Amino acid sequence: MSGYSLLHVVHLLGAIFFIGTLFVEVAVLARVRQQVDPEAMQSVDKAVGARLRVVLHWVVLFVYGAGIGLAWHYRQALADPFASSFGTLLSLKILLAIGVFFSFGAVAMLLRSGRMTPARYRLIHWAIFVQMIGIVVLAKAMFYLRW
């Protein structure tokens, strides 16, 4: 397996884990919270949150690390992003990935400062989820759309 292929597989697996985790948070746990006793759900949220922070640090390292390696492979397309649909879509994908990174940074800062509210938490996580769906669509489109 070439270095590019290995980076690609690591990047895809990391993206699957990352998006899957967020999907469970926004689509599954959001509904579970409405059906479970708030005290019990608080314990679940605390335990899930602690575990996710550990796991997602590694997932983020792999998805972004491999993504940077893949971007280096396409540095010529990125040098003039408007010269091809591939370069444009890849540039948009990278911008969304940077947005996701900063959004998670905002979550961390709000949690540490004590200014995180349940409404903000839901809003930011939905925003991140939408950005990640955009990244997936752009990733697929990069290799199929030509203009």
Side-chain angles (χ1 to χ4, degrees), residues 63-75:
V63 77
Y64 280 88
I68 290 167
L70 292 170
W72 179 256
H73 180 79
Y74 292 113
R75 62 191 177 276

Side-chain angles (χ1 to χ4, degrees), residues 37-145:
D37 175 57
E39 253 182 57
M41 199 61 217
Q42 190 174 13
S43 295
V44 170
D45 279 339
K46 190 179 246 185
V48 168
R51 182 65 185 146
L52 284 179
R53 280 188 291 281
V54 171
V55 171
L56 284 181
H57 281 101
W58 288 103
V59 169
V60 166
L61 178 70
F62 283 109
V63 77
Y64 280 88
I68 290 167
L70 292 170
W72 179 256
H73 180 79
Y74 292 113
R75 62 191 177 276
Q76 286 183 317
L78 291 169
D80 188 7
F82 298 114
S84 68
S85 59
F86 180 88
T88 303
L89 295 172
L90 178 58
S91 297
L92 289 172
K93 183 180 171 222
I94 291 169
L95 286 174
L96 282 176
I98 291 169
V100 167
F101 187 81
F102 281 113
S103 296
F104 269 107
V107 168
M109 288 175 27
L110 287 167
L111 285 171
R112 282 193 188 133
S113 70
R115 295 182 303 161
M116 180 61 79
T117 64
R120 277 187 185 149
Y121 187 84
R122 279 190 307 277
L123 179 67
I124 293 171
H125 276 77
W126 270 105
I128 293 168
F129 185 65
V130 169
Q131 289 174 78
M132 293 168 97
I133 296 300
I135 290 169
V136 169
V137 170
L138 288 169
K140 190 67 175 173
M142 285 170 20
F143 295 96
Y144 291 99
L145 292 181

